[in-house]
Amino acid sequence: MKPLRGLAIPVTAAVIIAGFGINASSSAAAGGSGSAKLKGSRTVAASTTPRVGSVSPSDRINFGVQLKPSDLLGAQAFAKAVSTPGSASYREFLTPVQWERRFSPTADQVVEVSAFLRSSGFMIGQVSPDRMAIDASGTAAEIERAFSTSLSYHRVDGAKLRLNDRALSLPANLAGIVVGVTGISQTLARPFSTTDNPAPSASRSGTAPPPPGFRVAPPCGSYYNQKIDTTLPPYGNGYPPNPPWATCGYTPAQFRSAYNLTGGSDGSGVTVAIVDAYASPTLLSDAQKYASINDPSHPLGNSQFSELLAPKFNFADLCGPSGWYGEQTLDVEAVHATAPGAHILFGGAENCSQGDLNAMVRTIVDGHLADVITNSYGDPAGDLLDSPGTRAATDNTLLMAAGTGISVLFSSGDWEDNFTLTGVVAPTYPASSPWATGVGGTTLKVSATGQRFGELGWSTARSFLCNSTFQALGGCTDAQAGTWTPINLALDGGSGGGTSFVYLQPFYQAGVVPTSLSNANGSTPMRVEPDISMDADPATGMLVGETQTFPNGVYYDQYRIGGTSLSSPLLAGVIARADQATGHPLGFLNPSLYALYGHSGALYDVLPAGKQDQSRADFANSIGPGDGFLYSTRIIDYEGQQQFCDAEAHCTTRDLSLHTAPGYDNMTGLGSPGEQFLSQLAGH
């Protein structure tokens, strides 16, 4: 779901939690004789964003009814047992068919829900093999009548989205079966990739052409500290007078060397699935050309790549398909970088709604089409703002993945604690699910010989040098010429993390996560994300190659990109190598990851950076020097103040809640993979 910029502040967590009924059953509460209301089925956006139009009664809407597993507690206990090192049933996974027999909703329950839908005039679509989702469609008028609600359009973060203005109601006999209805209210996920480009970009049409071109401006180093800034005025404030210039983008060989992935397994025999919205028509050819230029000893063969695409793509006006193409390119090239022998399955969902993305994940899990799934998207502050039904649908898919031996990774987000986007401090979802591995981000320092000589928390504040180019863009005045502008308290991106408002502390975090973090929202220990991190800082990011749109044509070119959209596929490749080395899938990773805590060499502890920064140059027009250069100082591991401004320009400032620290921290989790990570993980 896009962030709720219209959310009035201050908004207390207690108010939102009460509205979601988080401490009650997420399925239903009595709503009158013969009916039941789905708690939380009216999203926060319906009450906090402006209504901008009515939904035509004849509009046809596709939606999904999400069913509860028949034995939810049993499924959770089983997933814990097969995922925990030392358990008697450790890694004794079920096949999808076996899991469905034991834990899925019954066929009779599917019939019961389907009968209600048909009697309401809806057309029934597919029932998922796990019987946890029933696709249906009907008119807006039929939906309003069947679910006793009303529909309207709201302005949410600049997008016109359809929302139900009242909680949905169902027949009381379905109250213990249905956990949510997705698709009636539109919720859009964001990709978590960024070039960190300050220049204005061209609009991205719904017709999905290749995205606007971007090039990295000089000077930049091929490794960290290769080029030192001796030309820009010192930033001062206790920072070094001559910081390094940003890197040009690390190559696959640098990542393999820095994370000690140069020998042994390469992911052969393992399938890594990548789930995104839409599908770039040049995805494979771009990745193959990239490998031939930057990693020629590890070509990406046709037999190593396959696609699973939705029958149709839609909602282009809301999602911007070409905006997802760079995400897909990064995902494929990053997985191949750390696991050049793995097979890559690309799953392209029909749009960027959370429900349809989860449907693609579910398809892969139901068919056991992959051993590892990486997802570089999510909803900022969705842990708190997403409806219980939306979260339950995803959680149940992840629970089945855990029981059938599939590792599922989600990026933790690129906006720190999400305050600057939403006005509330809450972690990104689905990364905050206790059945997901939330992957955070770091700033990785790679030496001239390819070794890691430092890794810091990715959290960036940025100050621009006032030059004629920045003045022309309205960023500063003549009186400020030659000086550094104040830090932009909207911040400049960083690893997502934080303490959940809805998920209790999972068993694997007990005794590892400090009480100050697990109890940050009250006296009850809760889930904290991320779990683990890898490089994500766009100024130390990955060099990628993609077909883009330039003023002189459409063609392949290369640029640097980062975000936790980089860290998640990098880690997916590492897990593929561990699967190969172990001889079988690792499955749900978190219990094994936390079991590595305190083992020498397994994890790289990311510690506070002190006063460190980088200098960075950018083309004002994103592609070349014709319109001048923008110069900035990027403060690394920033942990100061941040600011949120609502739609009426009312601004609030507070301290960033994420920090690096010895041991587990809420910016990088357990840290990053250490020198012995692969061997120790495979040995568990």
Side-chain angles (χ1 to χ4, degrees):
M1 190 173 85
K2 287 201 173 186
L4 307 179
R5 289 190 186 276
L7 192 64
I9 53 173
V11 177
T12 67
V15 170
I16 298 177
I17 289 175
F20 275 176
I22 284 170
N23 290 323
S25 167
S26 63
S27 56
S33 176
S35 67
K37 289 186 182 295
L38 285 171
K39 278 190 175 294
S41 57
R42 178 180 183 242
T43 67
V44 171
S47 60
T48 59
T49 57
R51 189 175 181 273
V52 293
S54 300
V55 177
S56 171
S58 62
D59 281 0
R60 194 146 199 93
I61 297 170
N62 298 321
F63 62 94
V65 180
Q66 309 297 326
L67 277 60
K68 180 181 178 180
S70 60
D71 183 6
L72 180 60
L73 294 179
Q76 292 171 343
F78 179 81
K80 176 181 178 180
V82 297
S83 305
T84 303
S87 166
S89 54
Y90 183 42
R91 292 180 181 162
E92 293 183 4
F93 305 118
L94 298 177
T95 67
V97 171
Q98 290 171 330
W99 193 94
E100 290 154 8
R101 286 173 182 162
R102 288 181 60 174
F103 302 118
S104 280
T106 67
D108 287 344
Q109 290 174 327
V110 171
V111 169
E112 196 172 0
V113 175
S114 298
F116 158 70
L117 293 173
R118 286 195 186 91
S119 67
S120 301
F122 298 122
M123 292 182 61
I124 306 295
Q126 290 185 334
V127 177
S128 62
D130 56 33
R131 300 190 294 278
M132 290 193 290
I134 302 173
D135 293 337
S137 65
T139 66
E142 289 170 335
I143 287 173
E144 289 179 328
R145 182 170 56 253
F147 294 104
S148 301
T149 190
S150 60
L151 305 179
S152 63
Y153 288 107
H154 289 247
R155 184 66 60 186
V156 183
D157 191 35
K160 183 181 176 181
L161 301 183
R162 181 186 63 243
L163 304 176
N164 52 275
D165 290 307
R166 298 197 303 272
L168 305 179
S169 292
L170 288 168
N173 64 305
L174 303 182
I177 301 174
V178 175
V179 295
V181 181
T182 57
I184 293 177
S185 281
Q186 293 174 310
T187 58
L188 308 183
R190 281 175 171 245
F192 292 140
S193 58
T194 177
T195 59
D196 203 16
N197 176 28
S201 62
S203 62
R204 291 180 171 177
S205 167
T207 59
F214 174 73
R215 294 189 178 111
V216 178
C220 59
S222 59
Y223 55 88
Y224 203 93
N225 278 349
Q226 183 195 23
K227 295 188 177 181
I228 303 299
D229 177 10
T230 59
T231 58
L232 300 181
Y235 178 69
N237 301 300
Y239 288 88
N242 301 116
W245 287 100
T247 68
C248 306
Y250 293 138
T251 62
Q254 287 175 298
F255 281 121
R256 291 194 296 268
S257 177
Y259 287 114
N260 196 27
L261 306 172
T262 55
S265 60
D266 65 358
S268 294
V270 178
T271 296
V272 177
I274 295 165
V275 174
D276 283 310
Y278 309 108
S280 166
T282 61
L283 183 58
L284 176 58
S285 60
D286 285 344
Q288 289 177 324
K289 186 167 185 177
Y290 174 82
S292 70
I293 295 171
N294 301 284
D295 202 15
S297 61
H298 297 95
L300 177 61
N302 290 337
S303 63
Q304 286 184 265
F305 183 85
S306 57
E307 290 184 327
L308 176 65
L309 305 182
K312 64 182 185 304
F313 298 128
N314 51 31
F315 294 159
D317 56 332
L318 290 175
C319 299
S322 64
W324 285 79
Y325 289 177
E327 173 65 60
Q328 298 160 16
T329 298
L330 172 61
D331 288 344
V332 171
E333 293 173 6
V335 168
H336 189 63
T338 50
H343 181 87
I344 296 174
L345 169 64
F346 175 75
E350 66 181 40
N351 59 56
C352 68
S353 70
Q354 189 70 53
D356 285 299
L357 286 160
N358 181 56
M360 179 56 70
V361 176
R362 175 188 281 122
T363 297
I364 295 169
V365 172
D366 283 347
H368 205 97
L369 303 180
D371 307 295
V372 185
I373 306 175
T374 175
N375 308 270
S376 295
Y377 57 84
D379 183 6
D383 176 88
L384 185 59
L385 302 181
D386 284 357
S387 71
T390 297
R391 287 187 285 100
T394 303
D395 290 343
N396 292 339
T397 300
L398 298 177
L399 188 60
M400 182 177 177
T404 56
I406 300 175
S407 306
V408 186
L409 319 180
F410 276 94
S411 298
S412 69
D414 293 352
W415 296 281
E416 291 101 350
D417 59 18
N418 294 309
F419 177 77
T420 60
L421 284 181
T422 65
V424 294
V425 173
T428 295
Y429 183 84
S432 69
S433 171
W435 299 106
T437 298
V439 188
T442 64
T443 297
L444 175 66
K445 297 181 176 183
V446 180
S447 71
T449 58
Q451 303 306 303
R452 169 175 52 190
F453 69 94
E455 198 160 8
L456 309 170
W458 174 44
S459 176
T460 308
R462 199 167 184 179
S463 172
F464 284 89
L465 180 67
C466 183
N467 61 3
S468 58
T469 303
F470 200 48
Q471 289 180 46
L473 293 174
C476 61
T477 65
D478 290 344
Q480 294 174 293
T483 66
W484 294 100
T485 59
I487 288 175
N488 182 355
L489 292 183
L491 303 188
D492 203 51
S495 175
T499 304
S500 174
F501 283 92
V502 296
Y503 295 110
L504 296 175
Q505 182 180 73
F507 62 95
Y508 50 80
Q509 288 195 323
V512 176
V513 175
T515 303
S516 60
L517 299 180
S518 63
N519 293 37
N521 296 330
S523 58
T524 302
M526 306 296 283
R527 159 84 159 134
V528 186
E529 67 153 309
D531 298 300
I532 192 169
S533 296
M534 290 185 76
D535 186 38
D537 187 339
T540 63
M542 182 174 178
L543 182 71
V544 298
E546 180 186 14
T547 297
Q548 303 164 72
T549 302
F550 295 93
N552 62 341
V554 176
Y555 50 86
Y556 174 95
D557 204 348
Q558 301 193 153
Y559 62 96
R560 176 191 60 217
I561 190 170
T564 53
S565 284
L566 170 59
S567 55
S568 184
L570 285 177
L571 182 64
V574 177
I575 301 308
R577 299 176 83 116
D579 280 0
Q580 180 193 3
T582 307
H584 53 75
L586 300 181
F588 178 48
L589 294 173
N590 291 8
S592 293
L593 293 179
Y594 284 83
L596 295 178
Y597 185 74
H599 288 234
S600 178
L603 298 165
Y604 184 97
D605 195 7
V606 179
L607 302 174
K611 294 279 189 176
Q612 297 192 48
D613 62 347
Q614 295 168 299
S615 294
R616 174 164 165 164
D618 284 281
F619 295 124
N621 61 15
S622 302
I623 59 173
D627 295 320
F629 288 80
L630 298 169
Y631 296 103
S632 59
T633 286
R634 303 178 74 260
I635 296 174
I636 298 173
D637 190 18
Y638 177 79
E639 301 184 11
Q641 290 199 311
Q642 57 182 339
Q643 187 176 77
F644 167 78
C645 297
D646 65 14
E648 288 73 43
H650 301 134
C651 298
T652 300
T653 301
R654 59 160 291 146
D655 290 336
L656 181 67
S657 65
L658 307 185
H659 305 277
T660 52
Y664 182 95
D665 62 64
N666 60 359
M667 186 180 291
T668 65
L670 294 164
S672 64
E675 292 293 310
Q676 303 302 317
F677 177 81
L678 191 59
S679 60
Q680 293 202 30
L681 183 63
H684 262 273

